[in-house]
Amino acid sequence: MKNYAQQQEFILSQITNKYFQRRDFSRCDLSGIDLKGIDLSGINFIGADLRGANLSGCVLTRANLSGANLMQASLREANLYEASLCEANLINADLTQANLCGTFLWRVKFTGSNLWGASLCDVDLREADLSEATLIEASLIEANLSFANLTGAKLCGAKLLETNLTEANLTGADLTWANLTNANLSKANLWKANLTYAKLRDTIMPDGTIEQPQIVIY
């Protein structure tokens, strides 16, 4: 019977062995595994347990992580281009400067996660939970955040150009210096949100009016 360390080493060898590389790790226990900097593109991690895993700098392009548990995992500077993370658990995960452009993030849980400087252009974040998440200077250009929960999120300096925030919950969110040019905030909840110095050119406001001057909401 292999101990935990031996199991992790065995799994790592299956991932990195170019002759006998295993591509399907769906529902496997990979909690705490260190895969830093490894090319994991196209691998199936559906429903896998990756709690606390180190995936920093990994290439995860077109990988399938739908329903995976990535709570407290490190994905710093990871490349997740066109990966699927639908309904994945990324609570308190670290995605600092990660590339998530084109990633499928429907109903993902980013509660308390660090997405400082992350690239999230053209992503599907419908109904996602980003409450208390750090999105400072993150790029969310043309992202779909309709019905998303952004309560208490830190969006200082975030790029939200042409972003769909229809019916999003931005209660208490910090949007200081955020660029919301051409963003759609129809029916969004901006209660106690801070839009100091936010750029609101041609922005559709919650009441349907098109805003141009800078405003502050307390």
Side-chain angles (χ1 to χ4, degrees):
M1 189 74 176
K2 295 178 181 177
N3 61 30
Y4 181 78
Q6 290 174 322
Q7 288 177 332
Q8 298 289 290
E9 186 177 348
F10 177 66
I11 290 169
L12 182 60
S13 68
Q14 290 183 308
I15 292 172
T16 56
N17 190 316
K18 64 181 180 180
Y19 297 109
F20 303 102
Q21 190 175 53
R22 180 177 167 185
R23 309 297 297 174
D24 187 357
F25 291 90
S26 55
R27 296 175 179 78
C28 287
D29 182 0
L30 303 169
S31 55
I33 196 168
D34 187 354
L35 298 171
K36 183 178 180 179
I38 293 175
D39 186 348
L40 302 169
S41 53
I43 289 184
N44 180 6
F45 287 119
I46 293 175
D49 185 353
L50 286 153
R51 286 173 297 169
N54 185 1
L55 300 168
S56 300
C58 284
V59 178
L60 287 151
T61 53
R62 300 183 180 84
N64 196 336
L65 293 127
S66 298
N69 188 351
L70 289 145
M71 182 182 288
Q72 297 182 328
S74 177
L75 291 125
R76 294 176 67 91
E77 300 180 2
N79 185 356
L80 291 135
Y81 178 71
E82 291 189 348
S84 178
L85 285 155
C86 295
E87 298 188 304
N89 180 359
L90 284 130
I91 294 173
N92 294 323
D94 185 359
L95 293 106
T96 303
Q97 296 185 333
N99 177 18
L100 293 132
C101 291
T103 305
F104 302 97
L105 297 165
W106 176 67
R107 284 189 174 178
V108 71
K109 294 177 182 176
F110 274 127
T111 309
S113 293
N114 188 354
L115 291 139
W116 191 311
S119 297
L120 294 133
C121 300
D122 193 31
V123 297
D124 182 1
L125 277 159
R126 289 172 297 154
E127 301 180 49
D129 188 350
L130 288 142
S131 55
E132 306 297 332
T134 297
L135 291 146
I136 297 171
E137 297 180 359
S139 182
L140 290 141
I141 299 170
E142 296 184 352
N144 187 351
L145 283 152
S146 55
F147 300 97
N149 182 7
L150 289 146
T151 302
K154 299 175 185 67
L155 290 147
C156 309
K159 300 178 182 69
L160 294 152
L161 291 78
E162 299 185 42
T163 302
N164 183 0
L165 289 153
T166 304
E167 297 194 49
N169 186 355
L170 288 148
T171 300
D174 187 354
L175 289 147
T176 307
W177 293 105
N179 189 340
L180 287 145
T181 299
N182 291 314
N184 189 346
L185 287 158
S186 299
K187 298 181 181 180
N189 186 349
L190 288 169
W191 177 252
K192 292 188 177 180
N194 186 355
L195 283 95
T196 304
Y197 304 121
K199 189 172 184 178
L200 298 167
R201 186 175 181 81
D202 297 323
T203 304
I204 301 174
M205 300 306 287
D207 59 2
T209 59
I210 297 176
E211 190 71 36
Q212 290 199 14
Q214 295 177 342
I215 65 170
V216 180
I217 296 179
Y218 289 110

